[in-house]
Amino acid sequence: MQPIQLLAPEGNLVEDETYSPYIAALSDDDLRSLYRNMALERRLDAEATSLQRQGQLALWVPALGQEGAQVGTIAALKRSDMVFPTYREHAMALYRGITPVELITQFRAVAHAGWTPEKYNFHLYTVVLGAQTLHAAGWAMGIAQDQRTGSVPRGRQEDEIVLACLGDGASSQGDVHESMVFAGSYGLPMLYFIQNNHWAISVPSSTQSKAPLAARAGGYGFEGVRVDGNDVLGSYAVAAHMAEQIRAGQGPKLIESVTYRIGAHTTADDPTKYRSADEVERWKAQDPVDRYRNWLTAHETAGESFYDQVDEEAADLAAELRRATLAIQAQPLEEVFDTVYAEPHRQVEVEKAWLKDYEAGFAEDGDKA
């Protein structure tokens, strides 16, 4: 099962009867926007990594090398579609309008989350591997029920679909299996988006599965395809085609985006312990941002003035991210308890009272010993 590829690493745009029409429908502004979003995420990624190394973030999860897969896919969806991310979909978050500060709040560990999912139709990051796919299936079941009963809630769209993001490592989780069982059995309006970046922390994808991950979809009764995740145009076209089919009642679907994690799994990881420098260099030669920039330039869709403008915007984004990160105040610990449930809960109140008593046992700053 060869990955679908429209823009080759050498810069050649391949014609495909099924997918090329989706690219032909994009305006020059649309094409430039794909580059802009990839470049902005890459700059944010670098700045956030620096902030973590300087002790300003509890953790950071790099997405270096996966910008094409993420931007191409999210750009093909409607703003009304609900997205359930993992913890690495920074490009998707930025595309949906989540600000760098909102994004970084979660990694600074000062609040439950930095944004309200309903505002952006973008759920909170999920650290528990694969759990978001069950949440996505539940949301999709709600969509299906609303459509059957003609009771689509105000503010939601009748043709809404759900994007469930996961990695190659998470594809081995039981939660993912259960989610796909529900999706296949009930024909849910879901698009599974597996970013196969070749490494589940230190476990290679060749160990995760002896067959393409896209082939697993057939076991649940729906279609799966592979796409070159370092080809932003191919990623866009495949996602647009799949989304169109799902809206027509032919869901669910699955995309395996074959890409590569250039950086570490997280800033707590040292990838030099389990993969070679030669392997990384081979994939760097297929860099999605460079590949796309070369094509834009060759086809005179973008020039140096545009790239300079994007670079300036990216620099401003990084500077604002650093300033805002250092200014973020921790959420009062009591609020952590108060926002667990919508209504007062006895056990939570008991635990909050215990914490108050515990903290009262410590000396205040400046007290003499």
Side-chain angles (χ1 to χ4, degrees):
M1 186 185 289
Q2 288 298 313
I4 295 161
Q5 183 184 83
L6 298 184
L7 183 60
E10 303 78 27
N12 303 320
L13 192 61
V14 179
E15 286 296 318
D16 184 277
E17 181 179 355
T18 299
Y19 299 109
S20 291
Y22 294 99
I23 304 305
L26 294 175
S27 68
D28 285 351
D29 284 342
D30 293 332
L31 294 171
R32 286 189 289 267
S33 176
L34 294 176
Y35 175 85
R36 172 183 171 272
N37 279 278
M38 287 194 291
L40 291 181
E41 193 288 327
R42 180 162 290 190
R43 185 64 183 88
L44 174 137
D45 209 333
E47 191 66 25
T49 299
S50 295
L51 285 165
Q52 194 283 328
R53 295 306 190 200
Q54 295 162 12
Q56 297 301 326
L57 299 178
L59 186 77
W60 180 247
V61 184
L64 183 63
Q66 298 178 219
E67 300 92 346
Q70 292 187 20
V71 171
T73 300
I74 193 70
L77 301 183
K78 295 184 178 181
R79 294 272 175 176
S80 55
D81 296 330
M82 192 67 173
V83 178
F84 286 82
T86 63
Y87 42 70
R88 202 186 302 273
E89 278 69 54
H90 316 318
M92 290 186 165
L94 292 178
Y95 191 94
R96 277 294 175 90
I98 294 172
T99 68
V101 177
E102 288 175 320
L103 184 62
I104 218 71
T105 296
Q106 188 162 10
F107 289 96
R108 195 161 165 81
V110 294
H112 286 309
W115 67 91
T116 302
E118 291 83 359
K119 181 179 179 180
Y120 303 104
N121 288 325
F122 197 91
H123 203 267
L124 304 178
Y125 277 5
T126 302
V127 178
V128 180
L129 228 56
Q132 73 280 358
T133 61
L134 287 175
H135 307 158
W139 190 277
M141 291 183 77
I143 292 173
Q145 178 69 8
D146 290 340
Q147 291 173 342
R148 281 196 300 271
T149 60
S151 56
V152 176
R154 181 181 300 176
R156 309 307 304 182
Q157 299 300 311
E158 292 187 4
D159 65 348
E160 178 183 350
I161 67 173
V162 176
L163 181 72
C165 304
L166 64 149
D168 50 293
S171 69
S172 297
Q173 293 292 315
D175 283 358
V176 175
H177 164 70
E178 293 173 11
S179 171
M180 291 185 180
V181 167
F182 272 101
S185 296
Y186 293 98
L188 299 181
M190 292 183 67
L191 176 58
Y192 289 94
F193 176 56
I194 302 177
Q195 291 177 81
N196 181 355
N197 65 18
H198 284 75
W199 289 97
I201 308 182
S202 60
V203 179
S205 56
S206 58
T207 300
Q208 289 286 337
S209 179
K210 301 304 180 184
L213 297 176
R216 293 185 179 181
Y220 302 99
F222 53 90
E223 181 186 10
V225 300
R226 303 182 92 204
V227 64
D228 177 357
N230 286 13
D231 170 10
V232 67
L233 295 179
S235 296
Y236 174 88
V238 169
H241 180 66
M242 289 296 203
E244 188 177 272
Q245 290 183 305
I246 295 170
R247 294 187 210 283
Q250 300 173 39
K253 303 287 184 181
L254 182 150
I255 295 173
E256 178 190 354
S257 182
V258 183
T259 182
Y260 194 79
R261 192 195 77 214
I262 296 296
H265 175 71
T266 72
T267 47
D269 171 44
D270 180 5
T272 64
K273 300 294 185 182
Y274 53 80
R275 66 184 190 187
S276 70
D278 288 343
E279 176 182 313
V280 177
E281 289 303 315
R282 286 196 302 272
W283 278 96
K284 281 184 177 180
Q286 301 183 51
D287 183 85
V289 179
D290 291 345
R291 182 193 304 192
Y292 190 54
R293 175 170 176 157
N294 291 338
W295 180 80
L296 286 176
T297 302
H299 288 261
E300 299 182 349
T301 306
E304 290 306 315
S305 62
F306 167 74
Y307 299 128
D308 289 344
Q309 180 182 348
V310 171
D311 288 344
E312 183 178 346
E313 184 181 359
D316 290 344
L317 179 151
E320 173 59 19
L321 175 64
R322 176 168 290 274
R323 185 204 63 76
T325 299
L326 300 179
I328 292 175
Q329 297 296 315
Q331 178 183 16
L333 199 52
E334 284 191 21
E335 291 184 12
V336 174
F337 291 91
D338 294 340
T339 54
V340 172
Y341 293 102
E343 302 294 334
H345 191 282
R346 176 173 172 74
Q347 185 59 38
V348 172
E349 293 299 322
V350 169
E351 292 173 354
K352 183 167 71 172
W354 177 90
L355 180 66
K356 284 184 176 180
D357 290 341
Y358 174 74
E359 289 183 328
F362 290 90
E364 297 290 339
D365 290 344
D367 287 355
K368 295 182 179 179

